[in-house]
């Protein structure tokens, strides 16, 4: 087993139609306004940028995100990541009653030296850190959507 390889799956229920959720999620530069752990998104060009995140544990991750799929009709947003994390992440948005089911999938290898050294003993803590970050993002997005309407 490669202890530096992670797969994450998260589901968020959002009280807005998929198109409204997509409009917010496609603007990555706005994430720091509603997702506390996304500290910075600095655009490089129209399809890529440098992202800096820090969740509850005392380390930051920085990576370059490059858009690989933007498909509003299918409700899909996907990026490739290189840097402290190498891999991909994808949002898939579908109707869920009067709202949206936002599915987040991520598959990455961790390159940050400290996290590689702590890969085996730290794995459960790193996974919990990711869950907490995703929970905070969900709460932040719900508040942001509520403020917008």
């Amino acid at each position: 087993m490669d202890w530096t390889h992670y797969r994450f799956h998260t589901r968020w229920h959002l009280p807005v139609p998929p198109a409204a959720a997509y409009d917010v999620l496609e603007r990555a530069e706005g994430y720091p306004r509603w997702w506390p752990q996304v500290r910075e998104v600095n655009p490089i060009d129209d399809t890529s940028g440098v992202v800096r995140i820090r969740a509850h544990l005392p380390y930051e991750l920085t990576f370059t995100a490059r858009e690989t799929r933007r498909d509003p009709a299918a409700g899909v947003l996907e990026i490739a990541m290189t840097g402290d994390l190498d891999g991909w992440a994808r949002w898939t948005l579908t109707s869920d009653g009067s709202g949206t089911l936002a599915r987040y999938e991520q598959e990455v290898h961790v390159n940050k030296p400290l996290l590689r050294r702590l890969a085996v003993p730290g794995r459960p803590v790193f996974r919990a850190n990711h869950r907490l970050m995703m929970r905070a993002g969900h709460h932040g997005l719900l508040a942001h959507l509520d403020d917008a309407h």
Side-chain angles (χ1 to χ4, degrees):
M1 174 174 189
D2 180 355
W3 293 96
T4 64
H5 179 254
Y6 291 86
R7 285 186 183 157
F8 299 106
H9 302 275
T10 304
R11 298 162 70 114
W12 291 355
H13 295 277
L14 304 171
V16 296
Y22 193 95
D23 286 346
V24 174
L25 291 172
E26 77 174 334
R27 286 188 240 118
E29 68 280 0
Y31 283 30
R33 286 193 288 276
W34 55 264
W35 198 334
Q37 292 79 18
V38 179
R39 302 301 172 97
E40 289 181 325
V41 177
N42 296 306
I44 296 171
D45 56 33
D46 289 343
T47 61
S48 63
V50 176
V51 180
R52 184 174 60 87
I53 59 173
R54 177 165 179 202
H56 299 285
L57 295 177
Y59 63 84
E60 289 185 351
L61 296 172
T62 302
F63 56 90
T64 299
R66 182 181 47 81
E67 179 183 301
T68 56
R69 184 171 177 202
R70 180 184 296 240
D71 187 343
V76 176
L77 292 162
E78 186 172 305
I79 61 168
M81 297 180 283
T82 56
D84 288 341
L85 301 172
D86 281 349
W88 59 269
R90 177 188 312 124
W91 286 108
T92 305
L93 308 175
T94 55
S95 291
D96 184 33
S98 62
T100 298
L101 174 61
R103 289 186 198 94
Y104 180 80
E105 301 168 84
Q106 183 181 47
E107 187 167 340
V108 294
H109 281 85
V110 176
N111 293 322
K112 191 168 184 85
L114 173 65
L115 301 185
R116 291 184 68 80
R117 280 194 300 279
L118 298 174
V120 174
R123 189 172 181 87
V125 176
F126 299 154
R127 292 187 70 79
N129 194 51
H130 187 271
R131 277 192 304 277
L132 291 170
M133 178 179 164
M134 295 304 292
R135 184 180 320 162
H138 186 209
H139 292 300
L141 181 54
L142 290 173
H144 177 75
L145 292 170
D146 191 45
D147 289 345
H149 290 99

